[in-house]
PDB file of all heavy atoms in Angstrom:
ATOM      1  N   ASP A 271      11.787  36.093 -20.027  1.00 90.00           N
ATOM      2  CA  ASP A 271      13.113  36.652 -19.797  1.00 90.00           C
ATOM      3  C   ASP A 271      13.106  38.109 -19.363  1.00 90.00           C
ATOM      4  O   ASP A 271      14.147  38.800 -19.462  1.00 90.00           O
ATOM      5  CB  ASP A 271      14.001  36.474 -21.048  1.00 90.00           C
ATOM      6  CG  ASP A 271      14.278  35.019 -21.371  1.00 90.00           C
ATOM      7  OD1 ASP A 271      14.303  34.221 -20.417  1.00 90.00           O
ATOM      8  OD2 ASP A 271      14.459  34.694 -22.548  1.00 90.00           O
ATOM      9  N   HIS A 272      11.961  38.640 -18.900  1.00 92.00           N
ATOM     10  CA  HIS A 272      11.884  39.988 -18.375  1.00 92.00           C
ATOM     11  C   HIS A 272      11.392  39.935 -16.923  1.00 92.00           C
ATOM     12  O   HIS A 272      10.359  39.333 -16.649  1.00 92.00           O
ATOM     13  CB  HIS A 272      10.944  40.871 -19.210  1.00 92.00           C
ATOM     14  CG  HIS A 272      11.520  41.236 -20.538  1.00 92.00           C
ATOM     15  ND1 HIS A 272      11.553  40.339 -21.601  1.00 92.00           N
ATOM     16  CD2 HIS A 272      12.067  42.399 -20.997  1.00 92.00           C
ATOM     17  CE1 HIS A 272      12.091  40.934 -22.637  1.00 92.00           C
ATOM     18  NE2 HIS A 272      12.425  42.184 -22.295  1.00 92.00           N
ATOM     19  N   TYR A 273      12.161  40.550 -16.023  1.00 92.00           N
ATOM     20  CA  TYR A 273      11.876  40.433 -14.599  1.00 92.00           C
ATOM     21  C   TYR A 273      11.754  41.803 -13.945  1.00 92.00           C
ATOM     22  O   TYR A 273      12.387  42.768 -14.377  1.00 92.00           O
ATOM     23  CB  TYR A 273      13.005  39.657 -13.868  1.00 92.00           C
ATOM     24  CG  TYR A 273      13.255  38.276 -14.430  1.00 92.00           C
ATOM     25  CD1 TYR A 273      14.137  38.088 -15.495  1.00 92.00           C
ATOM     26  CD2 TYR A 273      12.617  37.166 -13.879  1.00 92.00           C
ATOM     27  CE1 TYR A 273      14.371  36.818 -16.004  1.00 92.00           C
ATOM     28  CE2 TYR A 273      12.860  35.898 -14.380  1.00 92.00           C
ATOM     29  CZ  TYR A 273      13.724  35.712 -15.460  1.00 92.00           C
ATOM     30  OH  TYR A 273      13.941  34.479 -15.966  1.00 92.00           O
ATOM     31  N   VAL A 274      10.950  41.867 -12.899  1.00 92.00           N
ATOM     32  CA  VAL A 274      10.896  43.048 -12.048  1.00 92.00           C
ATOM     33  C   VAL A 274      11.387  42.607 -10.668  1.00 92.00           C
ATOM     34  O   VAL A 274      10.995  41.551 -10.143  1.00 92.00           O
ATOM     35  CB  VAL A 274       9.464  43.629 -11.966  1.00 92.00           C
ATOM     36  CG1 VAL A 274       8.481  42.616 -11.445  1.00 92.00           C
ATOM     37  CG2 VAL A 274       9.447  44.883 -11.083  1.00 92.00           C
ATOM     38  N   VAL A 275      12.326  43.394 -10.094  1.00 91.00           N
ATOM     39  CA  VAL A 275      12.928  43.052  -8.813  1.00 91.00           C
ATOM     40  C   VAL A 275      12.003  43.471  -7.685  1.00 91.00           C
ATOM     41  O   VAL A 275      11.485  44.593  -7.672  1.00 91.00           O
ATOM     42  CB  VAL A 275      14.300  43.712  -8.664  1.00 91.00           C
ATOM     43  CG1 VAL A 275      14.859  43.462  -7.255  1.00 91.00           C
ATOM     44  CG2 VAL A 275      15.279  43.181  -9.712  1.00 91.00           C
ATOM     45  N   ILE A 276      11.776  42.566  -6.745  1.00 91.00           N
ATOM     46  CA  ILE A 276      10.899  42.822  -5.594  1.00 91.00           C
ATOM     47  C   ILE A 276      11.726  42.732  -4.336  1.00 91.00           C
ATOM     48  O   ILE A 276      12.381  41.706  -4.075  1.00 91.00           O
ATOM     49  CB  ILE A 276       9.737  41.805  -5.551  1.00 91.00           C
ATOM     50  CG1 ILE A 276       8.964  41.790  -6.861  1.00 91.00           C
ATOM     51  CG2 ILE A 276       8.822  42.104  -4.357  1.00 91.00           C
ATOM     52  CD1 ILE A 276       8.270  43.089  -7.199  1.00 91.00           C
ATOM     53  N   GLU A 277      11.687  43.790  -3.519  1.00 89.00           N
ATOM     54  CA  GLU A 277      12.415  43.802  -2.239  1.00 89.00           C
ATOM     55  C   GLU A 277      11.545  43.226  -1.120  1.00 89.00           C
ATOM     56  O   GLU A 277      10.304  43.268  -1.180  1.00 89.00           O
ATOM     57  CB  GLU A 277      12.809  45.234  -1.882  1.00 89.00           C
ATOM     58  CG  GLU A 277      13.654  45.940  -2.935  1.00 89.00           C
ATOM     59  CD  GLU A 277      15.072  45.371  -3.019  1.00 89.00           C
ATOM     60  OE1 GLU A 277      15.472  44.611  -2.079  1.00 89.00           O
ATOM     61  OE2 GLU A 277      15.747  45.638  -4.018  1.00 89.00           O
ATOM     62  N   ASP A 278      12.202  42.682  -0.085  1.00 87.00           N
ATOM     63  CA  ASP A 278      11.481  42.099   1.048  1.00 87.00           C
ATOM     64  C   ASP A 278      10.595  43.145   1.732  1.00 87.00           C
ATOM     65  O   ASP A 278       9.476  42.849   2.169  1.00 87.00           O
ATOM     66  CB  ASP A 278      12.475  41.510   2.057  1.00 87.00           C
ATOM     67  CG  ASP A 278      13.127  40.233   1.526  1.00 87.00           C
ATOM     68  OD1 ASP A 278      12.563  39.622   0.606  1.00 87.00           O
ATOM     69  OD2 ASP A 278      14.196  39.878   2.029  1.00 87.00           O
ATOM     70  N   ASP A 279      11.096  44.366   1.854  1.00 86.00           N
ATOM     71  CA  ASP A 279      10.308  45.425   2.495  1.00 86.00           C
ATOM     72  C   ASP A 279       9.025  45.734   1.711  1.00 86.00           C
ATOM     73  O   ASP A 279       7.981  46.064   2.292  1.00 86.00           O
ATOM     74  CB  ASP A 279      11.136  46.703   2.652  1.00 86.00           C
ATOM     75  CG  ASP A 279      12.212  46.568   3.710  1.00 86.00           C
ATOM     76  OD1 ASP A 279      12.093  45.628   4.534  1.00 86.00           O
ATOM     77  OD2 ASP A 279      13.166  47.374   3.713  1.00 86.00           O
TER      78      ASP A 279
END
Side-chain angles (χ1 to χ4, degrees):
D271 295 331
H272 287 76
Y273 303 87
V274 58
V275 174
I276 306 296
E277 303 290 345
D278 289 339
D279 288 343

